[in-house]
Amino acid sequence: MIFMIYKGENITRTHMCGELNAHDADKEASLMGWVQRRRDLGGVIFIDLRDRSGITQIVFDRKIDEEAFKLADKLRNEFVIAVRGKVKKRPLENVNQKLSTGEIELLVNKLIILNKSNTPPFSIEDDINVDESIRLKYRYIDLRRTHMQKNLIIRSKATKAIRDFLYDRGFLEIETPMLTRSTPEGARDYLVPSRLNPGEFYALPQSPQLFKQLLMVAGMEKYFQIARCFRDEDLRADRQPEFTQVDIEMSFVDVDEVISLNEEMIAYLFNNILDINVAIPFPRITYKKALEKYGTDKPDLRYGLELVNISDLVSKSDFKVFSSTIKKGGLIKGINAKGCASFSRREIDSLVELSKNFGAKGLAWISIEPDSSIKSPIQKFLTEEELYNIIGRMGGKPGDLLLFVADTAKITNFVLNQLRSELANKLNLVDDNKYNFVWVVEFPLLEFDEDQNRYVAIHHPFTSPMEEDIPLMDTEPLKVRAKAYDLVLNGVELGGGSIRIYYEELQKKMFNVLGISEEEAKEKFGFLLEAFKYGTPPHGGLAYGLDRIVMFLTGSENIRDVIAFPKTQHAACLLTKAPSKVDPKQLEELFIDIRDTKK
RNA sequence: GGCCCAGUAGUUCAGUUGGUUAGAACGCCGGCCUGUCACGCCGGAGGUCGAGGGUUCGAGUCCCUUCUGGGUCGCCA
């Protein structure tokens, strides 16, 4: 096959393949792109030519141009070509309604094959059903699909909208190092050995946290960055080892200023991309309330099914499962599954099974039949009064199914949260067109880690406690609330942040509570404590998971669909085959020996 | 690290109680065809059944181990 050298040929692209329409009829036009499909009728050859913008049908006819027609016989899927010809309005009966360019076609009088192509391993169509590992191996082909192109276009538009908004509000986009130091606390770091400093390592940033605080010390006042972050933890449908944060930090602000700026930004973004009006301000719920009503700090507010605490009603019950749970300091809470008394035994059993899978010992249920009679395996353990009170508290009406978990607060909340979301799906209560934002505020500052036998920061060690709770740090650390806030959308955490500690004494106190010794604090964070001595403004900010935001904007179920070159669950890139072994010489330069990798 | 799902032609799948030469559709290759747009018609090629081991006269099918991809719990300040 003869391939033309493009240079020296005289086709210049005049239009994109999605552009031409009836108004361009009889014009001379030149297109470039990929062969989407070929329909060879013998005397005439139709090609669907595709570029990023769309598809145009081009026609090769012996009577129009013999040479182009002969060459067109060689065309196959995904060949890259340049064509020139005349735009022809199609007769009415030949109009293709499915194409934006369906009213016209291009009668080709000049064809240049710019490149041939192997037959692709799967076809470039939107509704494909191909194993994802094949898509990832040939990601450059997968990304030719309109669906994937649309996702990346939306991602690009979203970052532009965010930049536009923040530039407009006086923010500076500042880059921070990718090679930085490993810090204790938080996720596992990705480490990078240093050739010039044998035996020492950089860490890739988990987030630009410390640098953005130092930029506040530096007087930058308003900073943002679209920052790549790295965490060496296990992957999920919405988690990748490298991901992108929209990182924001401001000086001289408190919680309300950060929240209101971000509400405006999110409203601007969703309006800009999805053309929907997002009502601001967003509702706020305290962490405590969120756990009470939903059992989670990221509640989905699109539906009800709220959790109800009945602990006080059954603390003295003869039903030991309930009363002993209370004695041990646990919780008994329930959900009223409205209208679900009609569930079959099998359906109820599957809810019980689900609860057990998530750690509950069981799931108690009370079914209020349409005739107001009660069906329940625990009825015989409860007094009439207890039953009456429980049903009353739960708002139980004929036809309702009441579900209860009795366990530690942690398990009770966790299981009922899972149950709530399962029920919502089962009952079709989840509306994909709703965007229910909520700020979760007043997170606890600390939690106790049983494994390490010490307090750890829930957010991070630089989060400021609420002023009125500072005295509690010495007496009841678990009761200290933080100036921390998360933005939650439909049960997904989009981002979170806090007002930071900005003076040395408080930061030292925080390290102290965390059991980080003065020497260790000095060794790991000495530079920050030092910086705090030089006039640090009060400051705070927030960071979003950009990938998750884009998942919402594109309606993606999977984070890999909004990342051009994502990694598999084993953190591998099937395209480049990273990670890989390296040349022993490289290891030698880095003073690294590989031990036996079999455990 | 635990639990669950999947792996058969380039792709998506079927494959009976373990039994002849492992099938289909799409794609691919060749031929015919001047109005197709999922073009049509005729013909053809294409398989280490993820890998290794075991049971058996005989394994795509049963058992064990392992690899890969996915979901999830732990983990992710």
Side-chain angles (χ1 to χ4, degrees):
Chain A
M1 191 183 300
I2 300 162
F3 289 102
M4 306 288 203
I5 303 298
Y6 178 52
K7 195 178 165 185
E9 293 287 343
N10 56 357
I11 294 182
T12 302
R13 194 189 215 182
T14 62
H15 293 80
M16 299 289 284
C17 293
E19 264 181 0
L20 294 169
N21 59 45
H23 297 296
D24 299 302
D26 301 324
K27 276 187 199 161
E28 192 81 1
S30 298
L31 302 173
M32 299 193 182
W34 289 261
V35 173
Q36 173 73 25
R37 204 183 297 278
R38 184 176 74 124
R39 290 178 294 279
D40 182 350
L41 274 65
V44 60
I45 298 170
F46 297 99
I47 300 270
D48 291 337
L49 188 66
R50 182 193 76 238
D51 65 18
R52 203 179 81 189
S53 68
I55 284 175
T56 299
Q57 172 166 281
I58 62 177
V59 186
F60 294 89
D61 191 323
R62 182 176 281 126
K63 285 183 294 196
I64 306 271
D65 189 284
E66 178 82 24
E67 196 188 338
F69 177 80
K70 273 189 183 155
L71 196 51
D73 188 54
K74 307 249 183 280
L75 294 178
R76 293 293 181 273
N77 284 352
E78 299 310 306
F79 275 33
V80 186
I81 62 174
V83 291
R84 190 182 57 221
K86 196 185 213 180
V87 179
K88 185 191 132 198
K89 197 170 171 188
R90 300 200 204 180
L92 212 55
E93 66 272 21
N94 282 343
V95 168
N96 185 343
Q97 308 282 3
K98 289 183 220 153
L99 290 182
S100 66
T101 59
E103 284 186 278
I104 54 93
E105 59 196 7
L106 190 77
L107 302 181
V108 178
N109 55 44
K110 174 75 179 169
L111 164 68
I112 300 174
I113 297 176
L114 298 171
N115 213 338
K116 59 181 177 173
S117 169
N118 285 353
T119 302
F122 52 89
S123 68
I124 321 286
E125 287 165 8
D126 267 357
D127 295 321
I128 54 163
N129 174 22
V130 180
D131 195 278
E132 195 170 354
S133 58
I134 295 168
R135 291 175 50 204
L136 291 175
K137 182 176 175 188
Y138 299 96
R139 189 59 155 178
Y140 42 87
I141 292 172
D142 189 37
L143 293 178
R144 286 183 189 169
R145 294 163 50 226
T146 313
H147 176 76
M148 293 302 291
Q149 299 212 333
K150 194 192 106 209
N151 285 359
L152 294 185
I153 288 166
I154 286 177
R155 186 176 178 123
S156 174
K157 282 182 175 165
T159 51
K160 178 179 187 299
I162 288 165
R163 283 200 167 95
D164 287 347
F165 179 88
L166 291 170
Y167 275 108
D168 198 48
R169 298 302 177 98
F171 282 77
L172 299 175
E173 184 171 12
I174 301 171
E175 290 166 276
T176 53
M178 299 296 273
L179 296 175
T180 178
R181 67 173 292 151
S182 179
T183 53
E185 312 274 307
R188 291 187 194 92
D189 286 320
Y190 275 100
L191 297 176
V192 181
S194 167
R195 178 180 59 85
L196 297 175
N197 303 277
E200 299 189 346
F201 295 81
Y202 303 97
L204 302 180
Q206 294 179 23
S207 82
Q209 183 60 36
L210 293 169
F211 286 107
K212 70 175 174 178
Q213 290 192 246
L214 292 170
L215 287 170
M216 295 302 103
V217 181
M220 292 302 152
E221 304 215 15
K222 291 177 172 184
Y223 143 93
F224 86 98
Q225 183 179 191
I226 312 286
R228 194 64 66 83
C229 302
F230 305 85
R231 294 179 188 177
D232 189 2
E233 296 293 345
D234 286 358
L235 288 79
R236 287 287 186 284
D238 63 352
R239 264 165 39 190
Q240 281 274 304
E242 56 178 308
F243 61 101
T244 305
Q245 281 189 350
V246 177
D247 195 42
I248 298 172
E249 195 77 3
M250 308 157 76
S251 293
F252 308 111
V253 293
D254 209 328
V255 175
D256 286 345
E257 283 108 324
V258 176
I259 283 186
S260 69
L261 174 103
N262 278 282
E263 284 169 342
E264 286 180 54
M265 185 179 90
I266 291 295
Y268 175 78
L269 176 64
F270 276 69
N271 180 259
N272 193 289
I273 305 294
L274 294 180
D275 201 25
I276 57 169
N277 280 311
V278 176
I280 55 173
F282 301 147
R284 298 187 199 183
I285 185 171
T286 63
Y287 173 88
K288 198 175 161 207
K289 196 94 189 165
L291 247 69
E292 270 172 31
K293 286 175 77 173
Y294 305 102
T296 173
D297 59 3
K298 11 184 200 287
D300 191 333
L301 301 190
R302 285 175 296 177
Y303 48 87
L305 297 175
E306 290 172 13
L307 278 48
V308 178
N309 191 340
I310 59 158
S311 301
D312 57 306
L313 299 179
V314 294
S315 61
K316 299 202 172 58
S317 172
D318 288 338
F319 185 33
K320 287 278 159 24
V321 172
F322 282 178
S323 51
S324 73
T325 297
I326 305 288
K327 236 173 252 149
K328 283 185 272 184
L331 266 184
I332 296 141
K333 293 169 83 172
I335 290 181
N336 182 346
K338 294 300 268 179
C340 295
S342 56
F343 275 12
S344 66
R345 192 55 201 253
R346 179 194 291 266
E347 284 174 300
I348 293 176
D349 283 348
S350 89
L351 294 177
V352 174
E353 197 52 37
L354 179 97
S355 305
K356 284 182 177 166
N357 287 343
F358 284 112
K361 291 178 200 73
L363 180 72
W365 53 271
I366 298 174
S367 174
I368 311 170
E369 304 295 299
D371 63 2
S372 293
S373 69
I374 301 298
K375 223 195 306 179
S376 168
I378 64 168
Q379 185 178 10
K380 56 180 177 277
F381 303 111
L382 300 171
T383 64
E384 280 289 314
E385 190 192 358
E386 283 167 347
L387 197 61
Y388 177 83
N389 286 339
I390 290 171
I391 291 173
R393 173 82 57 87
M394 300 294 299
K397 297 276 179 301
D400 291 352
L401 176 68
L402 313 180
L403 302 162
F404 302 93
V405 174
D407 215 301
T408 61
K410 202 174 169 186
I411 291 179
T412 299
N413 282 326
F414 179 71
V415 171
L416 285 173
N417 171 47
Q418 300 289 349
L419 207 55
R420 179 174 177 263
S421 118
E422 169 71 18
L423 283 168
N425 282 320
K426 201 169 154 66
L427 301 173
N428 276 323
L429 300 176
V430 186
D431 182 348
D432 286 334
N433 295 316
K434 269 191 185 169
Y435 295 88
N436 286 19
F437 293 91
V438 60
W439 290 104
V440 179
V441 298
E442 295 181 20
F443 275 78
L445 185 69
L446 303 159
E447 66 184 337
F448 193 76
D449 185 309
E450 302 286 347
D451 295 339
Q452 301 180 57
N453 194 36
R454 67 177 185 99
Y455 294 105
V456 294
I458 285 197
H459 196 52
H460 56 55
F462 319 104
T463 297
S464 175
M466 290 172 69
E467 276 89 5
E468 59 265 47
D469 289 356
I470 291 178
L472 293 173
M473 288 176 78
D474 299 314
T475 55
E476 296 179 276
L478 293 177
K479 289 205 171 152
V480 179
R481 291 165 301 164
K483 287 190 175 182
Y485 33 80
D486 277 0
L487 181 60
V488 173
L489 169 56
N490 296 354
V492 176
E493 181 191 331
L494 286 190
S498 63
I499 300 301
R500 325 298 181 187
I501 295 170
Y502 68 98
Y503 51 100
E504 195 190 359
E505 294 81 359
L506 187 56
Q507 188 64 64
K508 276 188 172 167
K509 193 184 181 80
M510 181 69 175
F511 286 146
N512 189 27
V513 176
L514 293 174
I516 298 175
S517 70
E518 202 148 327
E519 299 80 59
E520 194 185 353
K522 207 168 168 190
E523 143 87 24
K524 311 279 187 180
F525 303 110
F527 62 96
L528 184 74
L529 294 172
E530 178 75 5
F532 281 177
K533 293 176 179 171
Y534 292 93
T536 303
H539 61 282
L542 169 150
Y544 294 98
L546 177 68
D547 313 274
R548 285 188 191 168
I549 293 178
V550 178
M551 283 171 72
F552 271 102
L553 296 175
T554 56
S556 301
E557 301 267 296
N558 193 299
I559 194 170
R560 294 182 297 278
D561 282 350
V562 298
I563 295 176
F565 300 102
K567 299 202 169 36
T568 67
Q569 200 160 74
H570 284 353
C573 173
L574 297 182
L575 172 55
T576 62
K577 297 201 170 71
S580 64
K581 296 206 164 45
V582 295
D583 193 299
K585 272 189 204 145
Q586 292 176 284
L587 292 176
E588 210 170 296
E589 274 187 332
L590 297 167
F591 293 84
I592 288 177
D593 290 328
I594 305 294
R595 278 208 318 223
D596 186 7
T597 51
K598 303 226 167 57
K599 302 138 222 168

